[in-house]
Amino acid sequence: SFDNALATLWMAFQPIVNWRSKEIFAYEALVRTTIPEIPHPGALLEAAERLGRLQELGRVLRDRVAQAMLTNETASFFVNLHSQDLNDEALYDPYAPLSRLASRVVLEITERASLDDVRDLKGCIRRLRSLGFRVAVDDLGAGYAGLTSFAHLEPDVVKLDMSLVRGVDGEPVKQRLVTSMTALCRDMGIWVVGEGVETAAERDTLASLGCEHQQGYLFARPGKPFPNVAF
């Protein structure tokens, strides 16, 4: 089942927008499968982990994203990395398809997974930046180590987890957290993206708190290259 999923998987893309300027800022690449036994991305990752094939999966995903990027020569793309991908020397190959497009790629490292098993994490990040990649902390606010990964990775982009975004218009504590994180990141020259925006009230509240870059079903669902946004 995993072999079949690997052979037939495809990449969906979801726009990340700048709400104030009404522009598409980038697209996030999201894996999709058509195999009933592996019905969603989480199941695909679990199968790869059980089989010891996470790095193989990561290589296929990066190559598929690079193929899609060749059909869009201007946009930036966010590409998810599993922590184990950082131990894969193929990630640092300057001649790999995605490395050739590194100036338009932001590598998302999830805050939900431990980075403890990554060998020389700061060295890995330096190598990626030397190739031209930018780095994002994904799912900030719902993860494994709080702000520890933020400090270690020194990211170019921070993505606020949807648990902070959901209902933010009616929850003062979430508003204060978003305000504080956005102000901190602005001071450090870091872009902030609010994930999982589903309502106009969430959108407008985030924008009023300084989080203008947003992503979610309100703007567009993930789809084949490349979904448009009706602003």
Side-chain angles (χ1 to χ4, degrees):
S1 295
F2 182 80
D3 286 337
N4 289 336
L6 208 61
T8 60
L9 64 80
W10 58 280
M11 303 307 299
F13 294 87
Q14 186 174 34
I16 301 170
V17 307
N18 183 317
W19 172 241
R20 184 177 297 277
S21 65
K22 308 297 189 293
E23 296 175 324
I24 293 176
F25 172 65
Y27 293 94
E28 180 178 357
L30 300 161
V31 66
R32 296 291 183 263
T33 68
T34 57
I35 304 300
E37 296 86 353
I38 304 179
H40 55 81
L44 182 66
L45 287 170
E46 290 171 7
E49 189 167 10
R50 288 198 305 272
L51 295 168
R53 298 175 68 179
L54 277 170
Q55 292 184 356
E56 180 184 357
L57 174 62
R59 294 175 188 179
V60 171
L61 297 182
R62 294 193 296 274
D63 287 352
R64 297 287 172 84
V65 174
Q67 291 173 15
M69 289 180 65
L70 295 176
T71 68
N72 185 327
E73 298 181 353
T74 58
S76 294
F77 290 82
F78 282 59
V79 181
N80 291 280
L81 289 185
H82 190 280
S83 60
Q84 288 303 310
D85 289 325
L86 293 168
N87 290 326
D88 183 6
E89 279 300 314
L91 177 65
Y92 309 97
D93 179 0
Y95 301 105
L98 196 65
S99 297
R100 294 176 181 271
L101 303 169
S103 63
R104 293 197 287 133
V105 175
V106 180
L107 297 173
E108 292 190 32
I109 301 172
T110 181
E111 216 252 336
R112 293 178 181 273
S114 171
L115 295 171
D116 292 343
D117 294 331
V118 178
R119 299 184 296 270
D120 186 16
L121 177 60
K122 289 194 173 183
C124 292
I125 299 304
R126 283 196 299 271
R127 293 176 70 186
L128 292 173
R129 287 204 167 101
S130 72
L131 293 171
F133 290 110
R134 288 166 288 170
V135 174
V137 171
D138 194 16
D139 303 320
L140 189 69
Y144 176 85
L147 294 176
T148 302
S149 57
F150 181 94
H152 286 321
L153 297 173
E154 300 179 9
D156 304 285
V157 182
V158 163
K159 299 187 78 177
L160 302 179
D161 187 72
M162 65 177 62
S163 63
L164 289 176
V165 170
R166 187 70 65 248
V168 67
D169 50 294
E171 298 192 36
V173 172
K174 289 183 178 180
Q175 293 171 20
R176 293 181 68 178
L177 287 169
V178 171
T179 298
S180 297
M181 286 303 306
T182 301
L184 172 64
C185 289
R186 185 187 301 113
D187 289 344
M188 299 177 68
I190 299 171
W191 295 95
V192 179
V193 177
E195 295 185 289
V197 180
E198 293 189 352
T199 69
E202 292 169 351
R203 175 198 66 199
D204 294 343
T205 300
L206 286 177
S208 72
L209 299 174
C211 182
E212 299 170 359
H213 291 86
Q214 302 179 19
Q215 178 181 0
Y217 286 176
L218 178 66
F219 304 105
R221 289 177 175 270
K224 294 187 176 181
F226 291 98
N228 290 317
V229 176
F231 291 102

